[in-house]
Amino acid sequence: MVTPISWIKAYVPDLDCTVQEYVDKMTLSGSHVENAVYLDKNLEKIVVGKVTKIERHPDADKLVVCQVDVGQAEDIQIVTGAPNVFEGAIVPVVLDGGRVAGGHDGSPNPEAGIKIKKGKLRGVPSNGMMCSIEELGSDRNFYPEAPENGIYIFDEKKGVKPGDDAVEALGLHDAVVEFEITSNRVDCFSMIGMAREAATTFEKPFLPPVVTESGNDEDVNDYIAVEVVDTDLCPRYTARVVKNIKLAPSPEWMQRRLAACGIRPINNIVDITNYVMEEYGQPMHAYDLDTIRGNKIVVKRAQDGDKYTTLDGQERNLDHDILMINDAEGPVGVAGIMGGENSMVTDDIKTMLFEAATFDGTNIRLSSKRIGLRTDASGKFEKGLDPENALAAINRACQLVEELGAGEVVGGVVDVYPNPVEDVTLPFEPDKYNKLLGTDVSVEDMLGYFKRLEIGYDEETNTLAIPSFRQDLRCSADIAEEVARFFGYDNIPTTLPHGEATAGKRSFAARVEGVVRDVVEQNGFYGSMCYSFESPKVFDKLLIPAGDPLRDAIVISNPLGEDYSIMRTIELNGLLTSLAVNYNRRNKNVRLYEMANVYLPKALPLTELPDERKKLTLAMYGDCDFFLLKGVLEELFLKLGLEGKVSYEPSQEKPFLHPGRQALVYINGTYAGFLGQVHPEVAENYDMKCEAYVAGIDLPVVVENASFDRKYEGVAKFPAVNRDLALVMKKDIFVGQVEKVMRDKGGKLLESISLFDVYEGSQIEEGYKSVAYNLVFRSLERSLETAEVNKIVEKILKELAKLGVELRA
């Protein structure tokens, strides 16, 4: 927000401080200053002078010798080449030793300005210089009456006289301060809002403009009717009519203020709308009423596929989410953004319709983006304006119309406001504010701050009435912030925080993930981070068949490109790509892991948030095989208290894994992941000519079953009993099935099972294998008897016989 200090002083007339003091205090009260530009920078010893006599230069055709009255005892002589100088001209004059702004004429040091010294021009003494507006550090946007080439000449009606401060006469003893305003402070996107902040900061009276009633005896409803169809996008719409328009330049004071804000003055009507937009923070729009068909305004959404040409001559594509201002036959403007060519104000305008409305901020922001057009008005509307401000702004505009003689205001106002803003009240809790801030601000001081901020106080109910323009005040913390701002952040003492100490710790899931990280890194795996965005081509590379649920991926609405157009549903692509990069750079042994989410939609198109499941993915090649990878998982499950709960089942269902070297992992009967060798064709797709192994574990299942509970058991007092069993079985029977039977039938006395030999050869029947186990039995309470152990072994053998497993002869 750009604010000239002179404009702020119009509402805070007692504001008496330097620019630096203003900048410092406003920053400390929460209005952060980005920049301050001094309009009188490097302007020294510049006075008003009157040209009393002009003579030709004896040795230069383009120079003249002027005698200039600068309010001293004698006139001074100045040689100039200005083409517009004449006797009687009142001009700004920089005296000997003075300084003018640099940079406009290509001077080498614009920051230091240019120092003027008396001397001779073509042999004739010259004791100063008459100045153009550029040499005074300004330009024709501020001073449109200044000539394009030549010195600036004061209007005699200004009443300046020789010797006066020319910088003061030009209004250049001023500074333009740029504030960084957060989007929740919509009230500060206006001169009145910033003046209110300044008045509160410096504890000075705040005098906003007094808006007087305007309008003739006619009724505006005889000229225009307004219907708001989509009240959700337009909470309030006000309109007034001005007839007998007289276009003319706006007064100098208005032009100066607009130019200081970076707005080029155009004419009185346009300037009034821009002026009120800056003053009240309420954008306005003017229509030629003669172009409004049916003398009716209808505010409603556009239709999909509509097209409309805006004031800038560009045709815009519309849709049903864009709000339009229409007359009885069609659109006349894009609400909150820009009017249209078919209703533009021209020099022939006779009757004008003034509009001041409030639109939904989010809708304006999105509409502006969709049609590719952002304006000063949309920049304000998109922040969510105060509906209560619209009527005050349009009445202020009509008041200015009458004051400037720009037209005749028709009486009355059309005000469509179906759902007025409800008053917001908050409890007044001074002790709570002081406790939160660590301060001891008195109740009287707090109420003083609130009064200057126009926050009301009801003593009977002990509540604060929040004005509608303060949309940022909605809880006690917001009120405490107001106390802190005007008490002074620099005055808040250092205090200890209030509250009770709590013992912080990581969540159970975070502890599990920590153990996972430790185990895999101890086994030589390096952490990796891969993109969640992927290409649809990944499914083909992984040989995932058509119709597989994994292909039902979430499509990103604004992707960076096809390679990053969907959210991943399978965790392998990133790590396989990383393995391939390492392989092709000839790294011999690589082990990588990643813990990250996959995104599984519950339905497409999305009706609710997807299931984001965190996966542990391991990938490796080089000095490794299937069983080494399985050993890493077994160590991990052991650390997480899952021993005896995990089972592995051979499978051929994962198309991206070798059909004979893959297994599914189950925890307590619930599917928890897979491991195996990467399918050779998949490895080829990733440009790897080696065996690679991967595992994918569903961490939510692991977390659900993991346990860190450990029970200490002392060293056994009683001896163990060992039994070695050599078993013969078909090759298609897995040792996991055998061990499960041993555990189930071994009971509490079976302490451990160890596989120590697997044999296939001439001494075994074709299609069979011999597997040898060592079983250890022990009781913690007594010595076991041989018969007791034999009985347990018999139970085990009997159950194994059902699987076709027998003792080797």
Side-chain angles (χ1 to χ4, degrees), residues 432-434 436-437 450 475-485 489:
K432 187 174 182 179
Y433 310 148
N434 278 323
L436 179 64
L437 299 173
F450 300 155
C475 65
S476 60
D478 297 330
I479 301 298
E481 182 184 8
E482 298 302 294
V483 173
R485 289 202 301 133
Y489 291 114

Side-chain angles (χ1 to χ4, degrees), residues 36 67 142 149 159-160 227 232-233 273 293 304 505 588 590 592 594 604 607 769 804:
Q67 304 300 319
F142 280 78
N149 295 298
V160 295
E227 178 188 1
D232 57 326
L233 300 185
T273 62
R293 294 159 293 189
D304 288 335
K505 66 176 183 179
K588 293 183 178 180
V590 176
L592 300 175
E594 181 187 24
L604 288 176
T607 56
K769 62 183 175 182

Side-chain angles (χ1 to χ4, degrees), residues 237-298:
Y237 190 100
T238 65
R240 298 198 68 176
V241 171
V242 179
K243 64 180 187 177
N244 301 325
I245 297 294
K246 300 173 184 176
L247 293 180
S250 53
E252 184 179 291
W253 62 268
M254 182 176 284
Q255 292 187 28
R256 298 283 189 272
R257 288 181 178 179
L258 289 175
C261 294
I263 300 174
R264 182 172 63 87
I266 297 175
N267 60 48
N268 49 7
I269 296 298
V270 176
D271 291 354
I272 285 171
T273 62
N274 287 332
Y275 184 85
V276 174
M277 180 174 71
E278 294 300 314
E279 186 177 42
Y280 278 77
Q282 171 66 53
M284 303 182 63
H285 191 70
Y287 299 95
D288 186 339
L289 187 60
D290 293 334
T291 66
I292 303 299
R293 294 159 293 189
N295 283 42
K296 184 176 183 180
I297 290 292
V298 181

